Amino acid sequence: MNRRIVCFLALLFLMIVSITAVFGEDLGTTKPKRVGLSSERLARIDSFMDRSMDDRQIAGAVVLIAKEGKIAYNKAYGLADIESGAPMKTDSMFRIASMSKALTSTAIMILYEEGRLLMTQPISDFIPGFKDPKVIEPSSAGDTYSLVPAHREITVRHLLNHTSGLTYGSGLHSDIYKKAGMTVGLEPVEGTIGEKIDKLATLPLISHPGEQLNYGMSIDVLGYIVEIVSGKPLNEFMRERIFEPLGMKDTCFVLPEEKLPRLARIYTRDKNGGPMRKGDDPSYLTGTTYFSGGAGLISTADDYLRFAQMILNGGELNGVRILGKRTVEYMSENSIGDIWAPFRIHSGDKMGLGFGIRTERGEFDEMENLGIIGWDGAFYTRFWIDPKEKLVGIFMSQSRDWTNDLINRYRVLVYQSIVE
């Protein structure tokens, strides 16, 4: 063969390999029966979702099921924008809110694998304001409180499993957080995450670290630690170390203007269950410097699948390794012991490092296998990973109403479709 042709083919091959490494490969689709799913039973999802749209419980949604590394079901329903009549599409973009937490937790585990920090390390090593924290101790009547020294300092592990004593401003924290200008990160915020977290470090905890699970700002603090340890803004670190390697081309903190038409609008319902009305809908086009690791990302069902499949694969996707196999196993184990998890009905009865996990049969499970991991987002999104079935389930919508329980019903419909 001509030497020039050989050189050209070699160069072409290297270009293809390079492009694949940067943008990832298509996970591919498969017929449901090839991965043990029944097409007839999957059709029940269509009927269920159509009824939900007809009843106007939500404006629209995208649902996706991947099994054995292939997409077996991926459909869009309803509208992305009621006012314009724009239909929901499988590439519609969603504010994933707290589904951002799993990605930020992965970012911190990347640094953990590099020896940059330890699970048992006090976070005051990175953010001095968290040194010698104080804890709110309510009076016997519950109307006043005093501050007492915490039994121990907050560690990286406490942030990952939400036992840090930080909240989103619930209970006794409500007025304290409000006066301090704390934010949950669901909308664009002025300033930087560092400025907010430095302020948060001066506020008391609601419980002693490691003794109680309280959902809140813990993962935002982790996002700031990623910035401190890596020397890069969180958005850049996640883009370089997670999004680009996995081919997550539509996941970001700030939405490019050309992608705005793909962003699904947020809706809610009135208290009587009447017609939906438009909720707050920030454009996410602002040049924000506040990158909320706990709630700030935008993504698509397909992009999030790439991340979830990487976790299911033990830290690798299409030859690109993000985490080690043992690291993923470590993240998926119960890290809170016998501590009560208040989100049991939705996201599992225990907490791993970045995920809720289901460890037991009982009052709260709905057919899903033990060992699943996953999480929700405040605007009505969910993902879960089932190692036993080699399955990823994703539900993406944009609603401020969590009273309809569609997501749990969707999960039942996924499992009833498994026939082999």
Side-chain angles (χ1 to χ4, degrees):
M1 185 180 292
N2 185 287
R3 179 175 295 181
R4 289 185 178 180
I5 296 176
V6 172
C7 291
F8 172 77
L9 291 175
L11 179 61
L12 181 62
F13 174 77
L14 289 174
M15 289 175 63
I16 292 172
V17 170
S18 176
I19 291 171
T20 297
V22 174
F23 296 104
E25 296 176 355
D26 185 1
L27 285 170
T29 59
T30 187
K31 292 183 178 180
K33 65 180 181 180
R34 291 180 178 173
V35 290
L37 302 178
S38 164
S39 295
E40 291 76 17
R41 285 178 169 267
L42 285 171
R44 295 175 179 178
I45 298 177
D46 289 333
S47 300
F48 168 74
M49 294 301 296
D50 288 340
R51 288 196 305 271
S52 300
M53 301 305 111
D54 291 342
D55 294 342
R56 304 187 72 183
Q57 295 187 60
I58 54 176
V62 173
V63 300
L64 187 153
I65 306 168
K67 199 167 187 295
E68 298 179 17
K70 297 293 182 182
I71 299 172
Y73 194 85
N74 186 17
K75 291 191 177 183
Y77 303 88
L79 300 175
D81 188 326
I82 292 176
E83 285 71 27
S84 70
M88 191 71 78
K89 298 180 179 179
T90 55
D91 70 344
S92 289
M93 303 184 74
F94 301 87
R95 304 156 194 80
I96 61 172
S98 285
M99 280 171 56
S100 305
K101 289 179 169 64
L103 289 154
T104 303
S105 298
T106 296
I108 206 76
M109 297 307 289
I110 290 171
L111 295 172
Y112 175 63
E113 287 190 328
E114 294 175 352
R116 310 285 290 277
L117 50 84
L118 290 171
M119 291 295 105
T120 52
Q121 190 165 2
I123 65 171
S124 60
D125 286 358
F126 311 104
I127 310 170
F130 279 107
K131 184 71 176 176
D132 300 323
K134 300 295 189 295
V135 178
I136 296 173
E137 188 173 90
S139 66
S140 57
D143 54 350
T144 61
Y145 63 84
S146 57
L147 299 181
V148 300
H151 294 162
R152 60 190 62 82
E153 288 204 33
I154 301 171
T155 66
V156 173
R157 187 194 312 278
H158 294 148
L159 294 176
L160 279 162
N161 64 21
H162 294 280
T163 61
S164 64
L166 301 170
T167 73
Y168 271 138
S170 59
L172 290 173
H173 267 170
S174 180
D175 287 342
I176 296 173
Y177 275 36
K178 186 176 181 179
K179 289 177 181 178
M182 288 298 104
T183 175
V184 299
L186 292 175
E187 297 179 357
V189 177
E190 293 183 358
T192 67
I193 188 68
E195 291 168 351
K196 287 292 183 185
I197 299 307
D198 284 338
K199 180 68 174 178
L200 180 67
T202 68
L203 306 180
L205 308 177
I206 206 166
S207 60
H208 293 278
E211 298 183 13
Q212 183 176 313
L213 195 154
N214 290 283
Y215 193 53
M217 293 286 291
S218 292
I219 310 301
D220 280 276
V221 179
L222 280 178
Y224 184 34
I225 292 176
V226 170
E227 293 193 342
I228 293 170
V229 173
S230 71
K232 296 181 178 181
L234 182 61
N235 65 323
E236 289 185 16
F237 183 88
M238 295 178 82
R239 175 176 54 80
E240 293 175 5
R241 301 298 299 273
I242 301 176
F243 304 156
E244 288 185 353
L246 292 178
M248 297 172 67
K249 60 184 183 300
D250 286 325
T251 302
C252 54
F253 284 99
V254 180
L255 187 68
E257 187 170 2
E258 66 272 15
K259 293 185 179 183
L260 180 59
R262 293 169 53 197
L263 181 65
R265 305 307 184 208
I266 303 174
Y267 293 93
T268 188
R269 294 189 297 169
D270 64 31
K271 294 181 180 180
N272 299 317
M276 287 182 289
R277 61 178 183 266
K278 196 168 186 177
D280 296 331
D281 189 23
S283 71
Y284 283 78
L285 288 169
T286 57
T288 184
T289 54
Y290 184 99
F291 306 115
S292 170
L297 285 168
I298 299 170
S299 191
T300 63
D302 182 72
D303 261 22
Y304 211 90
L305 169 63
R306 304 188 75 83
F307 166 73
Q309 189 67 48
M310 177 273 293
I311 295 293
L312 179 57
N313 291 349
E316 176 271 338
L317 181 70
N318 295 329
V320 176
R321 181 160 292 281
I322 304 298
L323 294 172
K325 177 177 179 289
R326 177 61 191 123
T327 304
V328 174
E329 293 172 348
Y330 184 48
M331 296 172 71
S332 306
E333 296 167 350
N334 174 19
S335 71
I336 63 171
D338 295 329
I339 293 175
W340 173 260
F343 45 73
R344 298 166 74 92
I345 194 169
H346 292 295
S347 301
D349 55 283
K350 293 298 177 183
M351 191 74 201
L353 302 177
F355 311 102
I357 60 177
R358 179 71 66 197
T359 68
E360 63 182 34
R361 288 283 178 221
E363 181 180 355
F364 301 101
D365 67 280
E366 296 280 2
M367 202 197 313
E368 67 268 22
N369 287 315
L370 301 185
I372 69 164
I373 62 175
W375 206 248
D376 298 328
F379 296 128
Y380 215 63
T381 61
R382 175 178 290 174
F383 83 100
W384 78 94
I385 299 167
D386 186 333
K388 181 178 179 180
E389 298 290 348
K390 299 180 181 178
L391 179 147
V392 174
I394 295 175
F395 186 106
M396 295 285 204
S397 187
Q398 296 284 257
S399 173
R400 292 184 181 273
D401 175 33
W402 273 81
T403 62
N404 52 39
D405 209 22
L406 297 182
I407 288 181
N408 277 340
R409 296 175 189 272
Y410 166 65
R411 187 157 61 184
V412 172
L413 286 163
V414 171
Y415 280 100
Q416 64 82 39
S417 72
I418 299 173
V419 293
E420 295 180 13

